[in-house]
Amino acid sequence: MLRSAAHAEPLGLYLHIPFCLDRCTYCSFATTRDRSLQPETTARLLHQVRAWGAALERPAVDTLYLGGGTPSLLSAAELADLTAALREAFDLSPLTEATFEANPGTVDLPWLRQARDLGWDRVSLGVQALDDVLLARLGRIHGAAQALEALDLAERAGFRRRSADLMVGIPGQSLSKVLGDARTLAATGLDHLSIYLLDLDKACPLRAEIDAGRLALPSEDEVADVFEALQTELPRLGLAPYEISNYALPGGESIHNTRYWERRPYLGLGPSAASQMGDFRWTETSVIPAWTGGRGEVELQELDPAEALAELPLLGLRLHRGVDWAALRTRADALNLRPLTDGWEARLRALVEQELVLWEGDWVRLTARGMLMSNGILQMFV
Ligand code: SF4
């Protein structure tokens, strides 16, 4: 069943590199500072790439994404081996985008040039802020100057496609600082900017500092003001919104990430990596030694047709262009689930009055205000 799903259309392939030089104070990803595991983990990843390529009979892949952790901690030889294994195990002839994430504190020109020569064509840099005090608070291993230098090095290495992450909601971060950082980043000529809200849901050192009263998070209103100001400022800088948290120059949209919002199939390999094909979804263990030793449990979920249908607007409304509602209705009819889409439609139409939703022909999308309140609106599909 998976094999036919994997051949229905090209896949996206995500590889998780779970190593970091140091732990950021807010991080809850499956990563470790224990680099002694790196050779073994990379060898296991190579094995998994080959095994999945063989099991799925060398399916076509049109987007690659090397995430983490810190993929830029791979040695030149590890990156070359991994890239060669990907080319062998999967049909990369339809490849449209090959992204890797990099920490600005770990890149140099020779490594970036090699990555570019190997065919990686897009780099996503975790900048987070351009203020050394805030970066230290986040436990980042780089300062602001190093972040800008990394963007410059990537350009010199031949990366036409460069993205940066900017974080909102950091204790001590002001609106003018975020806007200033956004302007400085846009001036580097990058083609993509992701705006993330600092998420401290899980236990982490920064959460403990806040709970102890030593630091304070900005209020919800302050954070909302920042997001609203960015909605106005970034398009002025040429970076148009195409998803709730993502802005790009024309043609700079992340093709790989867009597949998640379009609910297109992907295979994820590495600790904590998630995959989705057809109505199956699975997540590998986040316990790194267990994954590396091939002992980790895989969490498998089969979505029922109603759950799978609900994911289309749940994810699709994150995109600026929204959802083709006529196509969604047709799909619902084929599944005998029309009452479900009719119910959502009634609720969305009520939100048109409040200027949170726009209905244009067959398409429905969130307005700029709707994007700011998307958490509440999208709850109807959960
Ligand atoms: S670099 Fe990223 S993955 Fe690594 S600790 Fe920091 S936030 Fe976590």
Side-chain angles (χ1 to χ4, degrees):
M1 196 182 300
L2 281 186
R3 202 172 302 138
S4 60
H7 285 269
E9 61 175 300
L11 298 175
L13 184 49
Y14 172 88
L15 302 181
H16 187 74
I17 310 298
F19 300 100
C20 292
L21 279 189
D22 207 352
R23 272 302 270 187
C24 301
T25 57
Y26 58 94
C27 185
S28 58
F29 296 128
T31 65
T32 176
R33 281 185 300 194
D34 182 0
R35 306 266 316 274
S36 69
L37 287 171
Q38 187 168 324
E40 219 183 313
T41 302
T42 312
R44 175 83 188 152
L45 205 48
L46 279 172
H47 172 268
Q48 289 296 86
V49 165
R50 294 186 181 117
W52 275 94
L56 297 176
E57 295 178 352
R58 202 168 183 264
V61 165
D62 63 0
T63 59
L64 286 175
Y65 198 102
L66 209 50
T70 310
S72 45
L73 282 182
L74 288 174
S75 69
E78 285 170 333
L79 183 65
D81 288 350
L82 207 51
T83 311
L86 288 166
R87 290 197 183 286
E88 216 174 282
F90 294 90
D91 170 14
L92 299 189
S93 55
L95 195 68
T96 52
E97 183 182 274
T99 305
F100 63 87
E101 291 178 350
N103 185 311
T106 63
V107 287
D108 58 37
L109 197 53
W111 193 95
L112 287 165
R113 280 202 172 121
Q114 190 212 8
R116 187 70 197 90
D117 289 347
L118 287 168
W120 298 86
D121 67 351
R122 183 171 181 271
V123 53
S124 173
L125 281 153
V127 171
Q128 318 309 354
L130 292 174
D131 178 304
D132 289 344
V133 172
L134 297 185
L135 287 169
R137 199 161 281 167
L138 294 173
R140 300 292 298 179
I141 58 167
H142 58 86
Q146 214 176 354
L148 292 173
E149 194 194 339
L151 278 162
D152 181 50
L153 288 176
E155 187 176 28
R156 282 163 54 199
F159 285 93
R160 202 180 47 78
R161 304 200 56 200
R162 295 169 300 146
S163 176
D165 292 348
L166 191 58
M167 192 174 270
V168 170
I170 307 169
Q173 186 186 38
S174 64
L175 169 61
S176 61
K177 189 134 291 275
V178 182
L179 290 179
D181 290 356
R183 287 181 197 122
T184 306
L185 287 170
T188 68
L190 46 64
D191 70 348
H192 189 279
L193 192 61
S194 297
I195 310 290
Y196 291 111
L197 178 63
L198 174 64
D199 175 5
L200 296 177
D201 276 358
K202 302 202 179 119
C204 59
L206 188 53
R207 174 85 262 165
E209 288 286 294
I210 286 158
D211 290 347
R214 286 189 285 274
L215 287 171
L217 287 171
S219 69
E220 273 184 29
D221 282 350
E222 284 168 323
V223 167
D225 286 348
V226 172
F227 276 102
E228 203 172 343
L230 286 169
Q231 278 182 338
T232 310
E233 185 61 14
L234 290 174
R236 274 196 207 132
L237 300 168
L239 293 158
Y242 72 98
E243 194 268 348
I244 288 175
S245 310
N246 289 284
Y247 294 75
L249 297 184
E253 299 85 358
S254 163
I255 305 171
H256 181 85
N257 288 339
T258 299
R259 79 182 314 123
Y260 298 130
W261 303 311
E262 289 175 340
R263 207 178 177 280
R264 293 180 53 216
Y266 53 89
L267 175 66
L269 301 177
S272 78
S275 303
Q276 181 183 283
M277 278 177 224
D279 290 339
F280 288 96
R281 177 178 306 154
W282 64 96
T283 308
E284 306 216 25
T285 178
S286 58
V287 183
I288 297 164
W291 187 86
T292 298
R295 300 181 308 273
E297 294 207 353
V298 174
E299 209 180 287
L300 177 70
Q301 189 190 5
E302 183 178 2
L303 301 184
D304 68 35
E307 284 172 323
L309 188 76
E311 289 200 339
L312 293 170
L314 174 70
L315 299 166
L317 284 174
R318 296 186 60 91
L319 288 166
H320 201 251
R321 67 165 181 264
V323 168
D324 180 345
W325 204 261
L328 188 74
R329 271 196 220 113
T330 307
R331 202 152 172 161
D333 284 340
L335 295 164
N336 259 337
L337 289 170
R338 185 58 180 268
L340 204 54
T341 45
D342 285 350
W344 297 330
E345 185 169 335
R347 291 160 79 179
L348 286 169
R349 288 207 185 268
L351 295 175
V352 172
E353 309 288 310
Q354 298 169 44
E355 297 181 355
L356 297 173
V357 166
L358 267 179
W359 215 291
E360 293 169 324
D362 287 340
W363 286 75
V364 57
R365 64 184 175 92
L366 300 184
T367 61
R369 261 189 73 222
M371 292 273 179
L372 293 173
M373 297 167 73
S374 59
N375 280 352
I377 297 171
L378 297 177
Q379 272 302 315
M380 77 174 79
F381 307 109
V382 176

